[in-house]
Amino acid sequence: MSAAVPASLTIRRPDDWHVHFRDGAMLAAVLPHTAAQFARALVMPNLVPPVTDVSAARAYRERILAARPEGSDFKPLMTCYLTDTTRPDEIEAGFAEQVWLGAKLYPAGATTNAHHGVTDIAALAPVLERMERIGMALSIHGEATDPATDIFDRESIFMEETLLPLLKRHQGLKVVLEHITTAETLDIVRAHGPRVAGTITPHHLTINRTSIFQGGLRPHLYCLPVAKRERHRLALRKAATSGETCFFLGTDTAPHRRGDKEAACGCAGLFVGPTALQTYVQVFEEEGALHHFEGFASLNGPNFHGIPVNAGTIELLRRPGRMPAAVAVEDTEVVVYRGGEDLPWSIGRVAA
Ligand code: NCD
Ligand code: ZN
């Protein structure tokens, strides 16, 4: 534990390198929460239908910009959803025209709206070669997809069977392993840096697999990749707070309507956007690593992707705060991770 906790911490404005904004009423309801904390966010393309070409990405970006609160300078960074039929020329065009910054690889069926994902990753070689050539990053949801595979082993099996061969085939490709959940995946990132990086969510730093069953089944703690054992959570906390530049912030905020979570077959995804920075900074304080927070939140991501860091600052206050337990969407609501709880940190002034 650090001896003296400051009353506030001012860092360069951070970016969220993994968000699900959805569309329509949900987009309008959730976007302000991310825009209040982050200057930019990498927007996941798993809409229905997914964002697979330049014109769809451009149109989605416009809808996001239109949903921003009055006066917001929030900037969405788009991604292209890779499928079996993605063309290298399309990938390059969207990158050259600065419509998207990266591409997202969902193994087919791995998670929410991933059924259009890639069935044969080796066959993606022409696309990946092109990305390698133009310096465009590949973001990967790294889980094996065979439904018979134990859900707690899906990340490690994907890494061994699919990711390591892919890294060998494409030695210059920039890869982000998203929402890392195991100690072994952290080590894979370390071994392949600096062209491989990893993002870490607030929830995987604060819950383990037992939390999902604490006192009963807790659907609002169910996400993919599912939280793992405590030893993994502790390894994630060490990695995030270590100062290693290959790890950075990506919340995987993934809103679902209450009824879609509290169901016989509930959706995967946690709505962590409104409490994201409060949770991360609390973890850094608990690990005695507040001096590494700015790197994780605001510097390592832009440096990896090759874009400038943000100009402004955000102030985090060591002052109790509370976010709403849920956010209204049409006639229902989305439950907020750690919403309604007293959190030790709150958000202060943002200076553009
Ligand atoms: C995400 C979603 O709901 O879109 N769900 C989740 O559990 N994280 C998809 C994803 O990133 O896996
Ligand atoms: Zn996600």
Side-chain angles (χ1 to χ4, degrees), residues 95-115:
F95 189 66
E97 292 164 33
Q98 298 189 11
V99 175
W100 50 51
L101 186 68
K104 171 80 185 213
L105 171 58
Y106 290 104
T111 184
T112 307
N113 299 331
H115 42 276

Side-chain angles (χ1 to χ4, degrees), residues 18 20 22 46 104 106 111-112 141 179 222-225 252 254 256 268-270:
H18 187 135
H20 300 271
R22 318 302 189 200
N46 63 333
K104 171 80 185 213
Y106 290 104
T111 184
T112 307
H141 182 114
H179 40 52
Y222 170 58
C223 65
L224 290 173
D252 196 13
H256 292 277
L270 271 57

Side-chain angles (χ1 to χ4, degrees), residues 1-6 9 237-238 240-243 280-293 345:
M1 275 304 99
S2 59
V5 176
L9 179 68
R237 289 171 69 99
K238 289 290 170 229
T241 61
S242 64
Y280 281 121
V281 71
Q282 180 181 349
V283 169
F284 277 72
E285 182 201 328
E286 289 166 356
E287 297 292 328
L290 286 174
H291 56 293
H292 285 149
F293 188 54
W345 288 81

Side-chain angles (χ1 to χ4, degrees), residues 149-207:
T149 301
D150 190 289
I151 192 166
F152 296 101
D153 296 336
R154 285 179 192 174
E155 180 169 311
S156 50
I157 289 176
F158 178 89
M159 296 305 157
E160 291 299 323
E161 293 185 354
T162 307
L163 189 268
L164 291 176
L166 182 149
L167 292 179
K168 207 172 255 172
R169 289 197 303 274
H170 302 280
Q171 307 232 344
L173 181 66
K174 284 164 64 170
V175 171
V176 183
L177 301 179
E178 305 192 278
H179 40 52
I180 295 176
T181 65
T182 77
E184 291 72 30
T185 305
L186 295 168
D187 286 338
I188 289 174
V189 172
R190 292 180 174 116
H192 291 83
R195 61 120 174 181
V196 176
T199 60
I200 303 177
T201 74
H203 41 294
H204 291 117
L205 294 170
T206 44
I207 63 167

